[in-house]
């Protein structure tokens, strides 16, 4: 192979030319909601240029030649966050009997990456502009999704992805010796890490292949990680500026993850009053994945327990996130519709609408660790916003009908119809350096 000439190398690495300023967009909001304070301001104008918000207020003069989007009959608010999903996993009644071991045998990583793009668009249509995607994504389909969105090929939410879930041997699977040892069947759904050296290596592998958060199976096996093991995860992730999310299913696991200083605990099963009080004291996020009882999922008994746990956590002052773990196909519903129906759990918990809205927005940006650069409707921030009829500060069900979605200053949905053209490109228009 010919050696690369220095001119070619230079051309390859020369900085991208800044794009010429685009025409401004002006959004006229009948009501602009600030979920941080639980307040709303009437008749506000938001000016957007080059994908970012440049001005917000009343009585702003429309820049010459600006495109005006009239949302004067709607409430405008920042985008919603699902803090726990798996966009590259969709298990189904047919053919795999809702058994995700089989999904991974039957759906290739490439197919799952394409499913993830579709699921991401379905989430955006329901107003979710940020998704924390926590593993079970085959061989890094989650990174492919994030990079495709960020480089500018396809529309989709901002993705905070974990790469492969790291766990003690076997992860959440219970394979036969033949399947595990002869066919490496656990990988790529789980990355085995049983010693401190393996933990360091696994964390680094995920970061190399595009993870933005580290997901650990704390106690999926009868040999849970020790506090010392868990501290190794936290230290190695912190070395690269990443946070650690812990899947917990036992109280022992939850207590150890809290002691080790995990950023978030995923799933609410093992969380009792004692766990909640410790989490509140240490400021650890509760990503509870609270499944509602519906004709297609759950049971009354499980739901009662879930709701009691939410009430207890709220009363204890635990930092809570809206999260679903919705990674299954319900015929007749899209991924966004399945996710927004988790409002049933939040309403049943008795948490006031304005607090639920804060949990679904502000808390979401914080648990995703992006609050300083994306999320709130704020001058200088990327122009991500949605609009609904009614006022979600009073009636959270207003979020069920999202009629407008803007991401990075581009309209994704207008008058209730998805219009993705602005997001579709034949090349990495935001730069191939995004990995
Ligand atoms: Zn999950």
């Amino acid at each position: 192979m010919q050696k690369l000439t220095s001119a070619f190398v230079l051309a390859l690495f020369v900085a991208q030319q800044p794009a010429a300023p685009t025409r401004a967009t002006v959004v006229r909001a009948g009501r602009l909601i600030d979920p941080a304070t639980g307040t709303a301001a009437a008749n506000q104008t938001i000016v957007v240029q080059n994908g970012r918000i440049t001005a917000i207020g009343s009585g702003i003069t429309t820049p010459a030649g600006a495109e005006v989007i009239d949302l004067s009959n709607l409430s405008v608010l920042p985008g919603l966050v699902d803090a726990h999903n798996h966009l590259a996993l969709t298990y189904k009644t047919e053919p795999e009997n809702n058994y995700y071991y089989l999904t991974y045998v039957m759906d290739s990583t490439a197919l799952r990456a394409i499913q993830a793009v579709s699921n991401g668009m379905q989430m955006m249509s329901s107003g979710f502009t940020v998704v924390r995607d926590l593993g079970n994504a085959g061989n890094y389909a989650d990174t492919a999704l994030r990079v495709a969105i960020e480089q500018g090929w396809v529309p989709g939410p901002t993705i905070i992805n974990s790469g492969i879930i790291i766990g003690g041997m076997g992860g959440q699977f219970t394979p036969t010796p033949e399947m595990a040892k002869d066919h490496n069947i656990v990988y790529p759904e789980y990355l085995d890490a049983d010693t401190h050296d393996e933990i360091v290596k696994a964390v680094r592998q995920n970061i190399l292949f595009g993870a933005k958060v580290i997901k650990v199976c704390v106690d999926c096996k009868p040999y849970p990680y020790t506090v010392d093991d868990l501290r190794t995860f936290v230290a190695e992730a912190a070395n690269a500026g990443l946070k650690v999310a812990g899947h917990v299913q036992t109280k022992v696991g939850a207590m150890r993850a809290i002691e080790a200083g995990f950023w978030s605990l995923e799933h609410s099963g093992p969380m009792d009053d004692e766990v909640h009080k410790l989490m509140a004291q240490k400021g650890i996020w509760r990503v509870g994945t609270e499944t509602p009882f519906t004709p297609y999922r759950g049971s009354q008994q499980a739901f009662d327990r879930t709701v009691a746990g939410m009430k207890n956590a709220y009363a204890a002052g635990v930092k809570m996130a809206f999260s679903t773990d919705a990674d299954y196909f319900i015929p007749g519903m899209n991924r966004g519709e399945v996710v927004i129906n988790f409002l049933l759990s939040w309403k049943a918990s008795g948490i006031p609408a304005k607090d639920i809205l804060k949990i679904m927005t502000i808390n979401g940006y914080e648990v995703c660790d992006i609050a300083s650069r994306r999320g709130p409707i704020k001058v200088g921030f990327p122009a991500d916003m949605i609009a609904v009829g009614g006022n979600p500060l009073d009636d959270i069900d207003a979020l069920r009908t999202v009629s407008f979605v803007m991401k990075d200053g581009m309209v994704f949905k207008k008058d209730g119809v998805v219009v993705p053209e602005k997001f579709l490109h034949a090349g990495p228009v935001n730069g191939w350096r995004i990995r």
Side-chain angles (χ1 to χ4, degrees), residues 238-429:
N239 188 38
L242 270 60
K243 305 289 196 276
V244 182
H247 165 111
V248 290
Q249 56 193 52
T250 64
K251 187 168 173 181
V252 169
M255 297 295 271
R256 288 182 182 180
I258 291 168
E259 196 180 338
F262 269 37
W263 174 256
S264 67
L265 299 192
E266 314 293 315
H267 312 300
S268 56
M271 294 176 191
D272 60 10
D273 188 61
E274 185 190 6
V275 170
H276 282 150
K277 283 185 173 134
L278 274 173
M279 288 173 76
Q281 193 189 319
K282 293 194 76 170
I284 294 171
W285 285 98
R286 182 188 197 269
V287 183
T289 65
E290 298 89 356
T291 307
F293 178 35
T294 56
Y296 54 83
R297 200 110 192 137
S299 68
Q300 188 66 53
Q301 197 189 2
F303 186 59
D304 290 347
R305 201 174 171 279
T306 294
V307 171
M310 293 171 87
K311 288 182 185 203
N312 184 273
Y314 182 74
V318 180
K319 298 198 292 189
M320 298 170 84
F322 181 89
S323 55
T324 65
D325 210 11
D327 49 9
Y328 36 84
F329 173 49
I330 305 300
M333 298 175 83
N334 74 30
R335 183 65 62 99
E337 289 165 344
V338 171
V339 164
I340 199 65
N341 209 25
F342 278 60
L343 283 177
L344 290 172
S345 304
W346 290 88
K347 283 171 65 180
S349 74
I351 297 173
K354 69 178 180 59
D355 287 356
I356 299 175
L357 187 64
K358 185 175 177 228
I359 286 166
M360 296 177 78
T361 54
I362 306 300
N363 287 20
Y365 315 139
E366 286 178 9
V367 73
C368 289
D369 205 17
I370 60 167
S372 62
R373 56 188 164 90
R374 185 184 284 276
I377 297 178
K378 195 167 147 184
V379 170
F381 272 37
D384 296 355
M385 64 192 84
I386 68 174
V388 301
N391 186 350
L393 290 171
D394 301 329
D395 175 14
I396 201 67
D397 281 322
L399 298 180
R400 289 178 178 275
T401 314
V402 171
S403 56
F404 175 85
V405 177
M406 176 181 274
K407 176 101 192 303
D408 289 304
M410 294 178 285
V411 175
F412 175 76
K413 189 176 191 183
K414 201 178 175 192
D415 302 322
V417 179
V418 169
V419 285
E421 288 86 350
K422 289 259 168 37
F423 293 82
L424 300 172
H425 297 102
V429 292

Side-chain angles (χ1 to χ4, degrees), residues 193 195-205 232-233 236:
T195 66
H196 285 214
D197 286 353
E198 288 172 357
I199 289 169
V200 169
K201 197 101 178 168
V203 169
R204 289 183 180 187
Q205 175 181 317
T232 304
F233 277 105
E236 190 56 34

Side-chain angles (χ1 to χ4, degrees), residues 56-382:
I56 306 169
S58 55
I60 287 179
T61 334
T62 303
E67 178 195 2
V68 177
I69 297 172
D70 182 14
L71 305 177
S72 54
N73 293 322
L74 300 174
S75 295
V76 174
L77 62 149
L80 310 176
V81 182
D82 183 349
H84 186 129
N85 206 308
H86 306 273
L87 296 182
L89 173 63
T90 305
Y91 57 85
K92 308 162 283 296
T93 306
E94 291 287 339
E96 66 263 50
N97 196 26
N98 290 318
Y99 204 47
Y100 79 102
Y101 289 25
L102 299 181
T103 312
Y104 129 79
V105 172
M106 300 189 71
D107 289 358
S108 67
T109 297
L111 175 59
R112 290 170 64 176
I114 294 169
Q115 294 169 355
V117 171
S118 179
N119 283 331
M121 290 177 67
Q122 294 163 40
M123 292 293 287
M124 282 256 283
S125 181
S126 287
F128 290 84
T129 57
V130 181
V131 173
R132 193 161 165 263
D133 199 273
L134 291 182
N136 295 129
N139 213 353
Y140 298 98
D142 56 338
T143 297
L145 172 69
R146 179 180 58 70
V147 171
I149 293 166
E150 291 182 5
Q151 286 191 350
W153 298 89
V154 291
T158 295
I159 302 292
I160 312 302
N161 64 303
S162 74
I164 300 177
I165 300 169
I166 305 170
M169 182 180 273
Q172 285 178 273
F173 283 176
T174 44
T176 60
E178 298 89 318
M179 286 294 123
K181 303 303 287 181
D182 301 341
H183 300 285
N184 203 17
I185 196 82
V186 171
Y187 184 84
E189 291 304 306
Y190 297 94
L191 211 46
D192 287 348
D194 292 287
T195 66
H196 285 214
D197 286 353
E198 288 172 357
I199 289 169
V200 169
K201 197 101 178 168
V203 169
R204 289 183 180 187
Q205 175 181 317
N206 271 345
I207 296 169
L208 176 65
F209 297 145
K212 299 299 174 188
V213 61
I214 297 301
K215 166 90 175 285
V216 181
C217 228
V218 171
D219 53 2
C220 297
K221 286 283 171 279
Y223 33 88
Y225 283 122
T226 63
V227 174
D228 202 31
D229 295 334
L230 297 173
R231 284 199 178 111
T232 304
F233 277 105
V234 173
E236 190 56 34
N239 188 38
L242 270 60
K243 305 289 196 276
V244 182
H247 165 111
V248 290
Q249 56 193 52
T250 64
K251 187 168 173 181
V252 169
M255 297 295 271
R256 288 182 182 180
I258 291 168
E259 196 180 338
F262 269 37
W263 174 256
S264 67
L265 299 192
E266 314 293 315
H267 312 300
S268 56
M271 294 176 191
D272 60 10
D273 188 61
E274 185 190 6
V275 170
H276 282 150
K277 283 185 173 134
L278 274 173
M279 288 173 76
Q281 193 189 319
K282 293 194 76 170
I284 294 171
W285 285 98
R286 182 188 197 269
V287 183
T289 65
E290 298 89 356
T291 307
F293 178 35
T294 56
Y296 54 83
R297 200 110 192 137
S299 68
Q300 188 66 53
Q301 197 189 2
F303 186 59
D304 290 347
R305 201 174 171 279
T306 294
V307 171
M310 293 171 87
K311 288 182 185 203
N312 184 273
Y314 182 74
V318 180
K319 298 198 292 189
M320 298 170 84
F322 181 89
S323 55
T324 65
D325 210 11
D327 49 9
Y328 36 84
F329 173 49
I330 305 300
M333 298 175 83
N334 74 30
R335 183 65 62 99
E337 289 165 344
V338 171
V339 164
I340 199 65
N341 209 25
F342 278 60
L343 283 177
L344 290 172
S345 304
W346 290 88
K347 283 171 65 180
S349 74
I351 297 173
K354 69 178 180 59
D355 287 356
I356 299 175
L357 187 64
K358 185 175 177 228
I359 286 166
M360 296 177 78
T361 54
I362 306 300
N363 287 20
Y365 315 139
E366 286 178 9
V367 73
C368 289
D369 205 17
I370 60 167
S372 62
R373 56 188 164 90
R374 185 184 284 276
I377 297 178
K378 195 167 147 184
V379 170
F381 272 37

Side-chain angles (χ1 to χ4, degrees), residues 1-14:
M1 187 182 157
Q2 210 180 344
K3 272 190 176 173
L4 294 178
T5 66
S6 54
F8 178 77
V9 171
L10 188 67
L12 205 58
F13 287 96
V14 80

